[in-house]
Amino acid sequence: MQSIKQRKKVVYSPGLTELPPLPMDVPGLKEGFRHHYTCHLGRDKYCRSPRYYYKALAFTIRERLMERWNNTRYAYLDADCKHGYYLSLEFLMGRALGNALLNLGITDEASRALLELGLKLEDLSAEEIDAGLGNGGLGRLAACFLDSCATLELPVMGYGIRYEYGMFRQRIVDGRQVEEPDHWLRDGNPWEVERPEYTQRISFGGRCESFRTESGETSYRWADTRDVLAVPYDIPIPGYRNGTVNTLRLWKAAATDVFDLDEFNAGSYTESVATKNEAENITMVLYPNDASENGKALRLRQQYFLASASLQDVVARWKAHKEDFADFAEKNCFQLNDTHPSCAVPELMRILMDENGLGWDEAWGITTRTMAYTNHTLLPEALERWPLPMFQQLLPRSLEIVLEINARFLKEVAKRWPGDSDRLRRMSIIEEGEPQQVRMAYLAIVGSFSVNGVAALHSHLLSEGLFRDFYEFWPEKFNNKTNGVTPRRWLAWCNPGLNRLITDTIGNGWVADLGRIRELAPYADDPAFRERWHSVKQENKARLASLVEAKCGVTFNTESLFDVQVKRIHEYKRQLLNVLHVIHLYDRIKRGDTAGWTNRCVLIAGKAAPGYYMAKLIIKLVNNVAKVVNDDPDVGDLLKVAFLPNYRVTAMEYICPGTDLSEQISTAGKEASGTGNMKFMMNGALTIGTLDGANIEILEEVGEENFFRFGLTAQEVEQLRPNYYPHAVIASDPDLARVIWLLQSGHFSMFETGIFDPIVQAITSPRDPWMVAADFRSYVEAQKRVAAAYHDREGWTRKSIINSAYSGKFSTDRTIAEYNEGIWHLDRVKAERGSQEEDAAEHHLEERERSFG
Ligand code: 26Q
């Protein structure tokens, strides 16, 4: 056993960095603003550009984060605490300004300071471009997690990639999606701090050599590599009014210096510059697919780049303070956000063995006690696989290690199930075939001590289905962590009207302890409270309606039911089922079947992966149906349809507060969790949904009478599959038959004959994996219950209040507390508080200690 090692002594000069705290009041903020506007940005009284107003405010806030950021770092260092690292190819952060103001507790002060300068906070806020460094759910979850880690005072750092181009911007031309590059850094990013002093060197290519060490052991060397530099950019992550500011570290690729380039290029200048380009390409663009795009070498480069840079960074910091790796696993934990960063498993092995001289067993012990893997998908086709030859070429040393991991692992499996060669084939990290493939999920499972799904049903289906063999081998590794969303951004910030009403009613404790929002439940029976709740919803609907008017030219009447489905466009999410219902409503209107009608505004938004033909066709269909419906004078206010372009974090901040009905209608067993469903619920929308993902848990919280459930269960879906005949379903349902007929007859494609044939084919195919037709009747009946319920305004408002009141479970504070209790085991570390935090925080923290331990 090794003895307890002392921390190395660090020498620093406090005099260099000690400053008086910056004022957080109105005069202080005004002063800061003027200083940055004139002295820092160099603008004068004649420049009246909102962009510079925004920048001046951003810098004013940023410097107030800085002192807390340093204090937090010092607190973590002093505590010598265990750290968590969230490794993710995506962080869908959205805007930072409002979040920083809210979490610092100076929204009102900033607002007033600006008013006194003749400016409006909302106008400045609108200047900020979203940091769209993610596709959807998985990326936004990472962002919500960071907010909760900082709020819970957990020493967790995010590691990601600083993509030059984030998620593409979507425009709609002739009803079709057109992608445009998102050059979000063009005007600079006031929220990042470049830290070239922590640059790491990342190797690619080359070959492996073995050699004898002086002590006579075999060791390995990775030679003739092509190297790239990883330069970190740090982004502050403020906790909610607690003085904590954590770090999101994003890596940018840069070429190594020119001398190195000359080696490869035999002194050729132009070749040299081209190589520089190749290096910098690694972090140029986010892959815009939310299901794995297999076989793109650049994507594998990105993944290894992130894993290697982050691990080297952590190990370098470790070695600055510690003599050896004896308690590395007790002090560090890496959470892998899906398999995307799972190169981290062989990479940590390589760093420990090849660069630090540890033996296999010791390195493997450390690796498998520090890695934890979260799965986000149930679709087998979305599991990441890399062709072995590509892996070999790009990461020869990693592959060697993966093969050794696999050989040792399969030996254990064979011991447990002797002679079961089929099981070995099924469980092998290497899939046989032409070419062989590396199964990244299996690598992640074998290399981790924890494997979790993101909702109860999802985790259950992982153990029973996708990862059954592994569950049988290691049942203790498998666990569930139901997703959440941060109530700071997704209620307190995005819905100021509701924030005020809730806070007036039960105080503001709910913001940092969402369980307490349950105290609203009794007020559902109070008519005066319901009236206030309803009028907040109406204001939010008006705000959403103006957005729709401005971006789509469609007029939404706020007296109508606002029926919303916003998420990535995917067949399994069944935007098609929504459209079929819209066509059915249109058909009813045209037939005059409108007795007891509820006026409805249907809003759909979302991006399609650029290469996903059917998803793009669905967007076209939504737009064509919208055009026919909205232009038909017979329809009027009975039904409106709009497709809102360029859905993103900021769009959702306007959409969820103004929504009455949240569409969560995926084929049961396909949506791992969903998180949009939680944002809507918090903001008082009712859900129409299948028993899928976290919908099930939402239903459990609110009860059947406050949720519109429909459709086959996951089990029924699989039972029906072999005997599914959509033609028979259509033949026995005249409403569906008419809808299909309208589609086929070209009613929505007058001058574009046959463009929707592939959609009709998909729906009518017995092999339709998403079984759209199977759930049509049940969906339409559920929508009838929705329409009837909306007629009863008091009843609806009651249900709306109940939905918010029972949304406490879906705070990422609860999710993160569970990650920490079940997986990370980090101690909370309090950072020094400023005066601003003092009053607000003490109160919340005590409350939270009681609920989360
Ligand atoms: C992989 C390899 C190559 C290129 C792209 C990808 C890739 C990128 C993003 C694969 C998947 C994603 C994103 C997946 C995702 O967002 N999944 C969602 O995660 C949410 C958070 O857990 C869940 O709520 C959703 O149910 C799930 O669909």
Side-chain angles (χ1 to χ4, degrees):
M1 280 305 288
Q2 279 173 297
S3 61
I4 297 166
K5 293 292 183 265
Q6 291 287 305
R7 262 183 63 196
K8 287 181 189 166
K9 199 145 178 66
V10 190
V11 185
Y12 58 93
S13 8
L16 277 179
T17 51
E18 269 170 18
L19 281 163
L22 290 165
M24 306 288 269
D25 57 358
V26 174
L29 291 171
K30 273 167 79 179
E31 183 63 30
F33 181 92
R34 280 193 287 250
H35 168 79
H36 283 288
Y37 190 69
T38 55
C39 308
H40 177 191
L41 297 167
R43 306 295 129 174
D44 63 18
K45 61 184 177 183
Y46 300 112
C47 169
R48 301 173 56 82
S49 145
R51 168 149 327 145
Y52 291 105
Y53 297 147
Y54 156 70
K55 281 197 170 184
L57 180 61
F59 283 117
T60 307
I61 303 312
R62 166 190 150 132
E63 64 192 4
R64 281 151 178 84
L65 290 170
M66 286 299 167
E67 45 185 287
R68 289 162 179 79
W69 205 359
N70 285 332
N71 288 340
T72 304
R73 240 190 321 266
Y74 302 150
Y76 292 166
L77 239 99
D78 289 344
D80 192 20
C81 54
K82 181 174 185 180
H83 276 76
Y85 306 97
Y86 201 74
L87 265 51
S88 177
L89 269 282
E90 306 192 4
F91 286 92
L92 192 42
M93 303 298 286
R95 289 178 178 159
L97 175 62
N99 187 248
L101 290 173
L102 177 79
N103 284 11
L104 285 173
I106 54 170
T107 314
D108 292 342
E109 287 79 354
S111 221
R112 263 185 287 137
L114 291 172
L115 276 182
E116 291 180 18
L117 295 165
L119 300 170
K120 288 228 303 265
L121 175 58
E122 297 86 275
D123 297 344
L124 273 57
S125 194
E127 287 295 310
E128 183 173 358
I129 303 175
D130 276 34
L133 308 184
N135 273 282
L138 165 149
R140 183 56 229 177
L141 184 74
C144 287
F145 276 9
L146 294 183
D147 183 78
S148 283
C149 288
T151 296
L152 296 175
E153 301 172 329
L154 295 174
V156 172
M157 195 167 158
Y159 274 115
I161 291 182
R162 182 180 177 275
Y163 299 106
E164 211 72 41
Y165 294 85
M167 189 60 201
F168 66 81
R169 284 198 211 143
Q170 179 194 57
R171 280 196 311 131
I172 300 297
V173 178
D174 282 338
R176 293 184 192 271
Q177 166 174 301
V178 174
E179 301 91 20
E180 282 177 355
D182 164 45
H183 198 190
W184 71 294
L185 292 166
R186 198 177 29 214
D187 287 332
N189 176 8
W191 304 106
E192 68 183 12
V193 178
E194 186 183 357
R195 297 204 190 280
E197 65 273 31
Y198 300 123
T199 296
Q200 303 295 335
R201 196 181 181 95
I202 316 298
S203 298
F204 291 99
R207 59 202 164 73
C208 302
E209 289 174 345
S210 64
F211 62 98
R212 293 237 166 253
T213 59
E214 283 165 21
S215 53
E217 286 160 26
T218 310
S219 192
Y220 297 86
R221 187 162 44 215
W222 184 7
D224 297 339
T225 55
R226 285 171 154 258
D227 294 359
V228 173
L229 299 180
V231 183
Y233 287 71
D234 286 357
I235 295 176
I237 308 292
Y240 183 71
R241 301 185 188 181
N242 59 5
T244 292
V245 177
N246 280 344
T247 301
L248 168 60
R249 177 160 287 184
L250 300 180
W251 299 101
K252 175 192 161 90
T256 50
D257 53 51
V258 194
F259 301 108
D260 283 3
L261 293 179
D262 284 349
E263 268 180 60
F264 296 119
N265 299 309
S268 158
Y269 167 78
T270 40
E271 294 282 294
S272 220
V273 174
T275 308
K276 179 175 153 70
N277 240 319
E278 188 189 303
E280 290 173 359
N281 269 343
I282 293 177
T283 54
M284 199 53 72
V285 59
L286 166 79
Y287 273 85
N289 311 300
D290 65 342
S292 76
E293 165 157 334
N294 289 314
K296 291 279 194 293
L298 183 60
R299 169 72 182 190
L300 183 56
R301 274 175 180 273
Q302 291 182 336
Q303 296 186 352
Y304 178 73
F305 175 83
L306 168 68
S308 182
S310 311
L311 288 171
Q312 289 190 61
D313 193 46
V314 171
V315 168
R317 245 188 339 263
W318 179 261
K319 286 166 65 169
H321 298 290
K322 310 279 180 163
E323 310 286 343
D324 61 38
F325 288 91
D327 60 350
F328 184 84
E330 281 64 61
K331 286 293 177 73
N332 296 285
C333 184
F334 297 95
Q335 191 71 41
L336 307 178
N337 199 17
D338 215 298
T339 51
H340 315 159
S342 58
C343 281
V345 170
E347 180 62 3
L348 184 55
M349 290 296 287
R350 188 191 67 79
I351 292 172
L352 294 175
M353 297 189 304
D354 301 1
E355 295 184 359
N356 293 279
L358 272 64
W360 181 279
D361 291 331
E362 200 184 349
W364 186 242
I366 291 173
T367 301
T368 53
R369 279 181 296 137
T370 51
M371 297 286 165
Y373 157 54
T374 305
N375 171 283
H376 298 264
T377 185
L378 279 159
L379 309 182
E381 67 271 24
L383 290 185
E384 263 194 295
R385 289 174 171 83
W386 292 103
L388 191 136
M390 178 189 293
F391 211 104
Q392 154 89 56
Q393 222 191 11
L394 215 55
L395 308 167
R397 181 61 183 133
S398 292
L399 182 66
E400 238 175 34
I401 295 170
V402 169
L403 295 178
E404 181 67 22
I405 292 171
N406 196 36
R408 289 173 185 242
F409 163 63
L410 291 180
K411 221 186 254 173
E412 295 301 309
V413 176
K415 244 192 257 168
R416 171 87 181 269
W417 288 282
D420 193 344
S421 59
D422 193 53
R423 187 180 290 265
L424 292 181
R425 183 192 53 75
R426 288 199 310 266
M427 295 180 78
S428 175
I429 297 173
I430 306 300
E431 182 174 302
E432 289 310 319
E434 200 44 62
Q436 294 177 305
Q437 312 246 2
V438 184
R439 294 161 161 166
M440 300 305 269
Y442 295 1
L443 174 62
I445 296 172
V446 174
S448 299
F449 67 89
S450 164
V451 177
N452 77 280
V454 290
L457 174 70
H458 172 229
S459 299
H460 173 77
L461 293 173
L462 285 182
S463 320
E464 299 289 305
L466 214 49
F467 298 153
R468 190 190 188 111
D469 290 325
F470 291 87
Y471 177 70
E472 282 177 20
F473 195 40
W474 286 310
E476 67 285 355
K477 279 195 190 187
F478 287 76
N479 64 94
N480 174 247
K481 297 286 170 282
T482 298
N483 282 167
V485 303
T486 170
R488 268 73 65 186
R489 181 179 296 261
W490 297 114
L491 185 50
W493 170 255
C494 76
N495 199 340
L498 213 54
N499 180 346
R500 225 168 296 129
L501 175 54
I502 298 170
T503 301
D504 278 356
T505 311
I506 62 170
N508 70 353
W510 59 273
V511 181
D513 181 6
L514 196 66
R516 290 184 50 185
I517 202 173
R518 187 161 299 214
E519 293 165 25
L520 281 181
Y523 293 90
D525 296 324
D526 172 350
F529 182 80
R530 282 203 300 263
E531 188 48 43
R532 294 174 73 190
W533 189 272
H534 174 76
S535 71
V536 170
K537 181 59 87 180
Q538 288 307 111
E539 282 165 25
N540 290 331
K541 286 172 75 172
R543 205 164 57 130
L544 176 53
S546 6
L547 183 75
V548 170
E549 180 84 57
K551 304 287 173 188
C552 316
V554 179
T555 307
F556 276 11
N557 183 332
T558 54
E559 292 304 313
S560 305
L561 171 77
F562 279 20
D563 170 347
V564 179
Q565 185 176 24
V566 292
K567 50 183 79 235
R568 289 301 290 258
I569 311 293
H570 228 292
E571 287 165 283
Y572 84 80
K573 294 176 188 285
R574 296 201 295 193
Q575 281 92 356
L576 257 183
L577 184 57
N578 190 345
V579 178
L580 295 188
H581 174 246
V582 168
I583 296 173
H584 165 65
L585 290 180
Y586 170 72
D587 179 47
R588 275 183 58 192
I589 294 167
K590 297 304 278 185
R591 290 195 326 245
D593 175 17
T594 55
W597 190 264
T598 297
N599 292 356
R600 212 186 261 257
C601 298
V602 177
L603 181 66
I604 298 176
K607 290 173 182 174
Y612 190 169
Y613 172 80
M614 277 302 268
K616 291 183 133 178
L617 193 56
I618 291 168
I619 292 178
K620 173 67 173 161
L621 176 63
V622 173
N623 281 302
N624 279 23
V625 169
K627 179 138 185 55
V628 169
V629 169
N630 298 335
D631 290 353
D632 190 328
D634 295 347
V635 176
D637 264 356
L638 296 176
L639 181 62
K640 292 281 180 210
V641 185
F643 184 90
L644 183 77
N646 202 29
Y647 178 62
R648 60 197 188 283
V649 171
T650 294
M652 186 55 155
E653 290 173 15
Y654 289 90
I655 294 168
C656 67
T659 294
D660 293 311
L661 184 67
S662 153
E663 298 270 352
Q664 307 299 336
I665 60 179
S666 52
T667 312
K670 302 301 170 191
E671 187 71 271
S673 161
T675 45
N677 47 3
M678 302 167 184
K679 295 164 198 165
F680 283 119
M681 177 201 199
M682 259 177 214
N683 285 278
L686 278 64
T687 304
I688 182 165
T690 47
L691 288 179
D692 200 14
N695 296 351
I696 297 174
E697 291 161 75
I698 290 177
L699 170 58
E700 270 170 19
E701 294 300 299
V702 300
E704 293 273 354
E705 63 287 10
N706 298 299
F707 188 105
F708 301 97
R709 172 168 72 85
F710 76 96
L712 299 172
T713 63
Q715 208 181 19
E716 288 165 347
V717 163
E718 293 318 317
Q719 278 164 356
L720 176 61
R721 207 176 279 290
N723 313 304
Y724 178 49
Y725 302 108
H727 280 292
V729 178
I730 294 163
S732 68
D733 187 332
D735 286 336
L736 180 54
R738 294 178 67 92
V739 169
I740 298 291
W741 170 244
L742 280 171
L743 273 173
Q744 261 169 343
S745 67
H747 196 82
F748 304 106
S749 47
M750 280 301 182
F751 306 103
E752 304 162 296
T753 313
I755 57 166
F756 298 128
D757 290 356
I759 285 180
V760 173
Q761 261 177 22
I763 298 170
T764 54
S765 163
R767 284 185 308 278
D768 172 20
W770 323 116
M771 301 211 260
V772 174
D775 277 343
F776 177 81
R777 178 48 39 197
S778 168
Y779 182 53
V780 167
E781 295 305 319
Q783 288 286 20
K784 281 187 189 155
R785 301 201 300 275
V786 169
Y790 194 71
H791 265 305
D792 169 15
R793 181 168 131 181
E794 294 295 318
W796 185 277
T797 302
R798 202 176 178 289
K799 294 181 203 296
S800 167
I801 297 167
I802 293 295
N803 267 270
S804 287
Y806 290 94
S807 66
K809 173 173 180 185
F810 304 106
S811 165
T812 35
D813 296 346
R814 187 270 314 153
T815 310
I816 288 299
E818 288 182 7
Y819 272 89
N820 196 39
E821 274 154 34
I823 304 174
W824 302 340
H825 308 297
L826 310 173
D827 291 324
R828 281 175 47 175
V829 177
K830 288 182 196 295
E832 186 185 295
R833 279 160 211 274
S835 57
Q836 190 69 27
E837 285 86 15
E838 219 77 298
D839 6 305
E842 280 316 317
H843 168 71
H844 296 324
L845 287 169
E846 251 98 78
E847 298 292 340
R848 224 174 24 240
E849 251 153 9
R850 244 180 286 146
S851 38
F852 294 130

